[in-house]
Amino acid sequence: MTAAVMRGWIAKRVLIVLFLFLLIALLSSIMVPLQCATDSLVRRGFIEDKLTKKTYAYDQNIPLIFVGGMPRSGTTLMRAMLDAHSMVRCGEETRVIPRLLALRQMWLKSDKEVRRLNSAGVTNDVIDPAFAAFILEVIVRHGEPADRFCNKDPFTMKSAGYLSELFPNAKFLFMVRDGRATVHSIITRKITITGFRLDSYRECMEKWNSAMELMFSQCRQVGPDRCMLVYYEQLVLHPKVWMERIAGFLQLPWEEAMLHHEALVGKPGGIALSNVERSSDQVIKPINIDALGKWVGVIPQDVVDSMATLAPMLQRLGYDPYSNSANYGTPDGMVINNTNSIHAQSDLWLEKGKSVVAPDSEAGKMLVELAAKDAAVVEKDERGVAAAVGGDT
């Protein structure tokens, strides 16, 4: 074979190899989107920021953030601190998402209902994409667009396992608070929850225990890589330490604004609050320790005496059911300063609280009543912030 023929042969082989590489690249560019479409439960959607004109794409594979737990356990504070991050938008409770998930749980409890659905062709292959599409559209479109979308409907944590299947890259923050403080807050703030009798600490503690047992098991099912327990008391006492952990868990760059959420309430691109949610008047304030020990000395003695058997989840979550104090630790200096400042300007904060709740609503009336009680307690408290940590407020 002459040199010229050899060069021609090599050139042909090179062209063939290049053609094959180009063909593979072309097929890959076609097949990858097809594969993504096959794996996707819902079609990709787009939403545009009206101010910046930036377009955000979303489907069930985006890294959603779910904040859940018992009502009155710090879920609103958590979502407000996340909302202070420039990349995150949580927004107000949707209320419809937990109701939809509860409907699914209801029919799953009935074998007869499941058989009826299956016989009608309404199988999981039909239901799951529909649920995923509905939940995703509500989360994305009920507020402003953002790089990271977040949902705070407390009882979604009861369905964390199912949500983790619908949204494989979602992460969950499970807010945990001393059940005695949670129940006291539910009763004094008149929070309506199905099954909770607001005239019975005993029954409310039992209901709290059942709900927390379910949500804790759901969080464990999801696994520690995707579900993080956040203790309300520790978040309030040591906000920087805990928000750094949370930001790392959610793979968010650190932003100092998360420690000063109150500065962004009601601001354009900041934090939107509902005027009918019972927590709105509290999260307008900087992080403080006023709520930690309000339950001490209020719960009936017979309930206190049987607390360990009424609510075994207290001990399982690390709380002492036999203690009747609120010693959760020593607050950081910033938190002490915030708390003292709030006490010194109590009238100002009362007026700010009134401005974020509907004036004629139950929330508005309750705010005035609770503010009067709090003012009386603070006035009697000669020992300042340290006593609040010790459970005297």
Side-chain angles (χ1 to χ4, degrees), residues 36 39-41 58-64 136 166-170:
C36 290
D39 292 342
S40 181
L41 283 175
Y58 62 93
D59 61 22
Q60 94 285 353
N61 292 307
I62 63 173
L64 292 171
L136 187 61
L166 295 184
F167 306 105
N169 294 313

Side-chain angles (χ1 to χ4, degrees), residues 164-185:
S164 71
E165 295 173 4
L166 295 184
F167 306 105
N169 294 313
K171 289 196 173 182
F172 301 80
L173 297 176
F174 177 24
M175 297 302 299
V176 175
R177 185 184 184 187
D178 189 326
R180 294 161 292 195
T182 302
V183 165
H184 173 262
S185 186

